Structures are given as C-alpha cells and as structure tokens.
Amino acid sequence: MRTTAYVDSFARDHLPPKDQWPEFLFDLPEVQYPERLNCATELLDCSIERGWGDRPAVHAPEGEGRTALTYRQLLALSNRIARVLVEDLGLVPGNRVLLRSPNSPMLAACFFAVWKAGGIVVPTMRLLRAKELRQVIDKAKVDFALCDIRLKDHLDAAARSCGSPKRILFYGAVGAHSLESMLAPKSTRFSNVETASDDVAVIAFTSG
C-alpha cells in the first residue's frame, strides 16, 4: 500500500486482512497510477484543462434544481462546498461524510467536494429510514453529513439516537444555517488534497 494522505486512519485500519484481498493487476499503461492521485482532480479539474468547461457535466430532471451543470459550474460549486467542509466543519483527510439526497446536480457536487477535501463519501439510498441510517452511521463512524432538506426527518432521528454525525448541513433549505448560505462567501478555488492513489474514496453499504 502507498503512503496514505489521511490524518484520520479509520478506513485503512478497518480494511480486511491482506489474505482476503483480490489480486490487483495493473499491467496496462492506462492503469499505471502515480503515487498521489485525487479522483476529483482527474474526473473534474482535468476536464477543464481538456477544454470541456462549457460542456454539460450533469443533467437532472425538472424539479431537482438546475436541469444541467457544465463542468465549469460543477467545479466552482464543488470547490465552494469543499471549503465549507474544511473551513467551517473542520473536516480532516480521512473523515467520513454521509450524503443523503435524490440524484441531483447538488449531490454530484457534494461527491466531488468530499473527495477534493480528502474525505470519504458514504452515500445512502433515499429510501433508507432512521434504523438503517443509524447502522450506516455507526459502522462507518460518520463524522459529517450533507443532506437534501426533503430527506431531513429520518436522518435527524438517526443522529439523535446515536449521537453522531458531529454536524449535519441541509441544502435546498432557507436560513442562516443552510449549506447554500454558507457557500455564499466562499471562493470558487480550492487546492485538492493530494490523496494516495489507493486511499479509500467511498464506503458503500449494500442492501443485504
């Protein structure tokens, strides 16, 4: 394994024993990854360098916010969310961030923001209720959560029952404590954490 960039070592500490790992074969030239690799850099930031800034990156049905975000808009939004995570919530590399939302441009931006900040995404299905969310929070030791306001109730109930995450931010809401209000003063520039190419990026729970 490569030298991790994570300050919070939870994910690496809880990997299965090495003898249970699959065999990783990275023989092809296109999978010769460098020591340091942040997936948000490769998937989003580098898209601007390729000249894709004005191309649509994310489409969404009517009723889920914008109908489309370009790569440039997605980058700017993700950078501002990453700043909130680091500057206001105190996220350190390796922390876990639960995401709870319907599929939407904002959800995509939150994924990239967490990766940019060096965090680990813990995505959850919108159909999960408080009991299932509590299990996810407990097992992944979730530090923070970003949640669509329409899915607030069950996450609030789960958080009350287990005493975490440390902080939940809701978007699609109004008021001084909404994610949108915290984004307003933030710069659209952010220096991505130089994670190791094999640092854990996602903790995804199955349904069974």
Side-chain angles (χ1 to χ4, degrees):
M1 294 182 71
R2 301 179 187 237
T3 303
T4 183
Y6 287 164
V7 176
D8 180 341
S9 65
F10 172 85
R12 284 214 174 183
D13 293 343
H14 289 81
L15 290 174
K18 279 267 185 103
D19 60 7
Q20 295 180 18
W21 289 22
E23 184 179 5
F24 296 110
L25 299 176
F26 298 120
D27 299 330
L28 299 175
E30 56 267 32
V31 291
Q32 299 300 306
Y33 300 119
E35 180 80 18
R36 288 292 190 235
L37 180 71
N38 185 305
C39 61
T41 301
E42 294 302 312
L43 296 173
L44 184 54
D45 298 60
C46 287
S47 297
I48 307 300
E49 297 173 12
R50 297 184 190 106
W52 298 357
D54 295 324
R55 293 186 182 184
V58 181
H59 290 274
E62 294 289 346
E64 296 295 348
R66 294 176 182 266
T67 56
L69 283 182
T70 65
Y71 280 96
R72 198 181 319 279
Q73 291 169 328
L74 182 59
L75 176 65
L77 180 56
S78 299
N79 284 343
R80 291 164 70 199
I81 298 171
R83 284 191 172 274
V84 169
L85 290 170
V86 174
E87 296 170 4
D88 297 297
L89 272 62
L91 179 145
V92 299
N95 282 169
R96 278 76 57 211
V97 182
L98 183 144
L99 301 183
R100 179 161 169 78
S101 173
N103 291 335
S104 67
M106 191 63 161
L107 177 62
C110 288
F111 262 87
F112 283 116
V114 174
W115 290 330
K116 282 171 164 286
I120 299 171
V121 174
V122 184
T124 58
M125 295 183 294
R126 64 183 297 178
L127 294 178
L128 295 184
R129 298 298 181 253
K131 178 182 178 181
E132 292 85 9
L133 288 169
R134 185 173 66 247
Q135 293 171 342
V136 170
I137 292 168
D138 283 340
K139 288 180 181 296
K141 300 298 182 218
V142 167
D143 298 286
F144 307 104
L146 303 177
C147 179
D148 187 300
I149 191 67
R150 294 170 292 179
L151 302 180
K152 177 181 186 292
D153 292 346
H154 286 287
L155 182 56
D156 270 348
R160 285 195 301 271
S161 68
C162 62
S164 58
K166 302 171 190 172
R167 185 89 179 268
I168 303 173
L169 292 183
F170 296 99
Y171 56 85
V174 295
H177 301 294
S178 68
L179 176 57
E180 286 90 344
S181 68
M182 299 175 74
L183 294 178
K186 299 300 183 185
S187 167
T188 58
R189 296 183 178 274
F190 184 82
S191 297
N192 297 349
V193 173
E194 293 188 352
T195 47
S197 57
D198 62 354
D199 274 332
V200 175
V202 179
I203 299 177
F205 285 78
T206 67
S207 59

